[in-house]
Amino acid sequence: MATLITESNHPAPDDFYERLIATHRGLSDAESALVNAKLILLLANHIGDAEVLAQAMSAAREGIGGSKVAGAV
Amino acid sequence: MKTYVNPVYPYTRPAELDRPGVRRPVIIVGAGPVGLAAAIDLGQRGVPVLVVDDDHTVSVGSRAICYAKRALEILDRLGCGQQVVDKGIGWNVGKVFFKDELVYGFDLLPEPGHRRPAFVNLQQYWFEQYLVERAQALPNVELRWDNRVVGVSPGPDKVDVTVATGDGHYTIACDWLIAADGSRSAVRRLLGVEWEGQVFHDRFLIADIHMTSDFPTERWFWFDPPFHPNQSTLLHRQADDVWRIDFQLGWDADPEEEKKPERILPRLRAMLGESADFEIEWASVYTFACRRMQHFRHGRVLFAGDAAHVVSPFGARGANSGIQDADNLVWKLDLVLGGRAPEALLDTYDFERTRAADENILNSTRATDFITPKSNVSRMFRDAVLALAKDHPFARKLVNSGRLSVPAVLHDSPLNTRDHDADFASGPGAMMPGAPAADAPVTGPAGEWLLDYVGGGFVLLAFDAAIANRHVAVLAAADIPCRIIEVSGAESAGPTRIDDIKGLAARRYDARPGTVYLLRPDQHVCARWRTFDLAGVRAAIARATCNI
């Protein structure tokens, strides 16, 4: 079973972060939200592994909004 | 409506108003697609059946339109598949648009070598009319129009049904009651049985229009089209140049206002262009839900179709699943009525069809969540999928305008005998125990399709298996008989023999010389072997009928 990588996996972490922020430059909040959604879909397809994706979704949701992720099917 | 006039089926005064009637083996409530399919199936099996309906005609207006291959195959067994196919409009191609661009197309065209197409579109009233005509041709099916069920008293060994007519009430008893009286089932209400599920906060306008057009015969679905911004639209062609259009309206729409021609015409003009020549046949506004009863069997009352479960319309999983309910139920009820199987067999109807309903509800709910996002973020992801779909093939798989009805595979049914031979093909499309029998072109004495030879009773499909005549005779003479169909075997005096002229039957059934498949009366596989074994076949029939 594959496991979500949570140690750093970026060859150049600062470059990645700068690029992520730059991707949103000049966009409204709504436009940024759409870019983020597309980015998630592209990356999720690249990863493809349902188990890894489920772990990432749980980790992202951790501590936010109280309840656990509903209907995890 | 211009293209169809609803028939008026005459009410006749029931004899039970004047003197006590005889107890009936089966009463069916509701002469819709599901009740009629069940009635025809029972009638064909020689079981007398009384059908009561609270109206005196077929479906009014635009309701079910898409009939899937499996439903058509069931109708073939009931003797009205050809009429539906001849009158209906076959289609295979679907297209999905986002704003003004095509983002995704699919082709359901099945591989060649099946009698029936993936889908046929036909207005529900035509469909029901053919079923009524077929039912009327059967001497042991009695249809009573304008007979409304107002009381149901279930007992341990019978059900008393009270029926209201224009001439007064009468009560009649039956061994078994089939409730096929639709989503607002009177029987369900009278028994006080709840059902659970999810109501979707959205409204859709149905417009049936009569239009001569060279528009392609394809399913077109638009998300956020220029002619209907922020909402979705679905277009289907039906028989007689009638086109069905579903406009998503949103929850705040006023259903009474939206039905008015002055509201509908501008929507249609925007979609079809100012020059399009059409007339409105029918318009209504609907909401929908996905829910089901916890159990479809309540003692001697058996629920089927929309009375038992409802889904949102995207995917054509309503009528198609209801017809599969009838197909699953009737052979079991026939065996129980005949004393050849215990009542526990009817619990397997509940087991198999509640699972099928769950699969339909899951698929319909997912499609509805895509079409009608329930939150801003859900909408955001939906639009992101659509935006990606044009250039990125992976996203097309996420576009969900309805996952179209496919037959239920009864994987974990207790009626299945598990494979003993490990080398059989498995996975989607394989003829595993629980799968509906695949069709194939053949030649033989009773038709040019494999499915002509299976169904009704148990059938052993024997691929060049040279089953001894004495075994054929033993199986044919059993309490629950089993016919043997030899596929491409040597000539013999015993079983019916068919030729697998294109080798497709052997390929689809992963068959080698000697392979045998046991098929249930509803054409589902329940066991398979690499070599024939009489004891094994008898045990599998016993298992498939709860006789062990």
Side-chain angles (χ1 to χ4, degrees):
Chain A
M1 187 177 80
T3 305
L4 179 71
I5 298 168
T6 56
E7 295 300 324
S8 179
N9 196 32
H10 292 294
D14 292 346
D15 290 355
F16 156 73
Y17 193 80
E18 183 188 9
R19 184 152 210 157
L20 178 65
I21 302 305
T23 302
H24 288 273
R25 195 166 297 140
L27 299 183
S28 68
D29 286 353
E31 288 167 334
S32 269
L34 182 59
V35 168
N36 276 339
K38 289 171 74 174
L39 189 58
I40 290 167
L41 292 166
L42 285 159
L43 296 174
N45 182 63
H46 186 85
I47 293 163
D49 186 312
E51 185 60 40
V52 169
L53 292 169
Q55 290 170 40
M57 287 184 239
S58 294
R61 178 69 193 255
E62 189 66 42
I64 300 175
S67 64
K68 277 281 177 189
V69 182
V73 283
Chain B
M1 289 198 294
K2 186 175 146 190
T3 61
Y4 188 78
V5 177
N6 272 75
V8 176
Y9 300 121
Y11 161 83
T12 44
R13 183 184 166 92
E16 287 82 357
L17 284 168
D18 304 309
R19 57 186 177 278
V22 294
R23 177 163 154 178
R24 308 291 180 124
V26 183
I27 294 176
I28 297 174
V29 186
V34 180
L36 290 166
I40 294 165
D41 204 349
L42 283 162
Q44 288 188 165
R45 291 170 190 282
V47 178
V49 55
L50 171 64
V51 183
V52 292
D53 192 277
D54 62 2
D55 202 351
H56 51 251
T57 187
V58 294
S59 168
V60 174
S62 194
R63 294 171 71 191
I65 54 170
C66 299
Y67 297 94
K69 178 170 179 286
R70 180 67 197 141
L72 297 172
E73 290 166 352
I74 293 167
L75 284 193
D76 281 334
R77 196 171 58 71
L78 301 182
C80 29
Q82 195 59 44
Q83 273 179 300
V84 169
V85 171
D86 287 346
K87 180 71 183 176
I89 304 285
W91 62 273
N92 291 300
V93 171
K95 286 182 180 155
V96 176
F97 299 84
F98 180 42
K99 299 185 192 290
D100 54 358
E101 280 189 307
L102 174 68
V103 292
Y104 171 56
F106 57 86
D107 189 345
L108 299 167
L109 185 70
E111 45 183 6
H114 295 264
R115 171 163 43 193
R116 295 309 177 200
F119 279 94
V120 161
N121 284 0
L122 184 64
Q123 297 91 315
Q124 184 172 335
Y125 38 79
W126 282 117
F127 185 90
E128 281 185 24
Q129 183 183 322
Y130 298 142
L131 266 63
V132 168
E133 287 164 6
R134 172 68 183 139
Q136 285 171 333
L138 293 166
N140 48 5
V141 177
E142 182 184 355
L143 302 174
R144 289 189 184 175
W145 307 100
D146 289 324
N147 275 240
R148 185 165 51 93
V149 171
V150 293
V152 177
S153 300
D157 62 346
K158 62 168 183 156
V159 184
D160 285 316
V161 183
T162 303
V163 183
T165 72
D167 295 323
H169 289 51
Y170 65 93
T171 296
I172 186 166
C174 58
D175 296 341
W176 300 94
L177 184 71
I178 298 177
D181 51 348
S183 62
R184 295 186 190 86
S185 170
V187 176
R188 198 182 61 237
R189 181 173 44 79
L190 290 165
L191 289 185
V193 185
E194 300 291 325
W195 59 353
E196 287 174 7
Q198 185 179 9
V199 178
F200 295 100
H201 285 201
D202 205 344
R203 297 183 200 280
F204 284 77
L205 167 70
I206 294 176
D208 265 12
I209 59 169
H210 183 247
M211 174 175 72
T212 315
S213 165
D214 52 7
F215 210 81
T217 304
E218 298 171 351
R219 178 190 195 261
W220 282 29
F221 195 104
W222 289 265
F223 292 98
D224 194 10
F227 57 82
H228 192 45
N230 295 315
Q231 305 286 16
S232 64
T233 304
L234 174 63
L235 174 69
H236 268 290
R237 183 177 180 180
Q238 307 174 94
D240 300 326
D241 292 319
V242 174
W243 300 73
R244 156 85 168 253
I245 302 159
D246 291 44
F247 288 108
Q248 184 183 21
L249 298 175
W251 184 238
D252 296 331
D254 179 338
E256 289 310 311
E257 281 298 307
E258 297 295 346
K259 266 190 275 194
K260 294 179 177 168
E262 62 264 33
R263 299 277 294 193
I264 299 171
L265 282 168
R267 294 189 192 283
L268 291 169
R269 287 263 166 250
M271 177 181 178
L272 303 166
E274 287 302 320
S275 59
D277 185 19
F278 63 85
E279 282 177 68
I280 297 173
E281 285 269 296
W282 171 263
S284 58
V285 174
Y286 68 92
T287 58
F288 49 79
C290 284
R291 53 188 165 201
R292 75 160 168 92
M293 299 172 72
Q294 194 181 355
H295 289 292
F296 297 172
R297 180 184 175 204
H298 286 253
R300 293 182 164 268
V301 183
L302 301 148
F303 289 85
D306 281 3
H309 49 79
V310 287
V311 292
S312 62
F314 309 104
R317 289 168 180 268
N320 286 308
S321 67
I323 288 162
Q324 290 175 73
D325 287 347
D327 187 45
N328 188 294
L329 172 60
V330 167
W331 67 271
K332 296 173 180 175
L333 190 53
D334 181 31
L335 287 177
V336 171
L337 276 164
R340 290 175 294 159
E343 287 182 20
L345 185 57
L346 297 172
D347 291 328
T348 71
Y349 163 70
D350 178 79
F351 181 98
E352 292 178 343
R353 294 309 298 169
T354 53
R355 271 160 180 72
D358 284 344
E359 188 180 312
N360 288 320
I361 287 170
L362 176 66
N363 278 287
S364 296
T365 301
R366 286 172 169 177
T368 308
D369 285 343
F370 196 86
I371 293 162
T372 303
K374 287 196 267 305
S375 64
N376 288 334
V377 72
S378 178
R379 169 100 193 192
M380 179 69 69
F381 275 111
R382 199 279 300 274
D383 288 349
V385 165
L386 291 167
L388 289 167
K390 187 160 175 284
D391 295 325
H392 302 282
F394 86 88
R396 293 168 205 159
K397 290 273 187 192
L398 300 174
V399 174
N400 192 343
S401 71
R403 301 285 181 233
L404 291 156
S405 175
V406 289
V409 176
L410 313 169
H411 286 298
D412 51 357
S413 170
L415 304 186
N416 294 342
T417 296
R418 265 200 243 154
D419 284 342
H420 292 280
D421 302 294
D423 64 335
F424 270 118
S426 61
M431 289 294 102
M432 295 176 293
D439 206 358
V442 299
T443 54
E448 295 177 343
W449 296 97
L450 178 61
L451 293 185
D452 289 328
Y453 296 87
V454 302
F458 281 88
V459 167
L460 195 72
L461 208 53
F463 289 85
D464 197 6
I467 296 174
N469 280 341
R470 62 192 162 86
H471 291 154
V472 174
V474 165
L475 288 169
D479 190 30
I480 297 174
C482 177
R483 288 179 285 130
I484 294 183
I485 304 293
E486 268 284 353
V487 185
S488 300
E491 292 287 353
S492 89
T496 301
R497 187 178 168 284
I498 58 177
D499 258 316
D500 182 15
I501 44 173
K502 294 191 173 161
L504 286 174
R507 192 191 306 166
R508 287 173 187 161
Y509 286 80
D510 181 28
R512 301 197 294 254
T515 297
V516 293
Y517 274 76
L518 182 63
L519 302 169
R520 307 183 344 179
D522 58 9
Q523 300 178 332
H524 281 260
V525 175
C526 60
R528 56 182 177 173
W529 302 267
R530 284 300 182 199
T531 51
F532 172 77
D533 165 50
L534 182 65
V537 173
R538 297 180 76 171
I541 293 171
R543 174 174 294 279
T545 53
C546 292
N547 277 313
I548 48 166

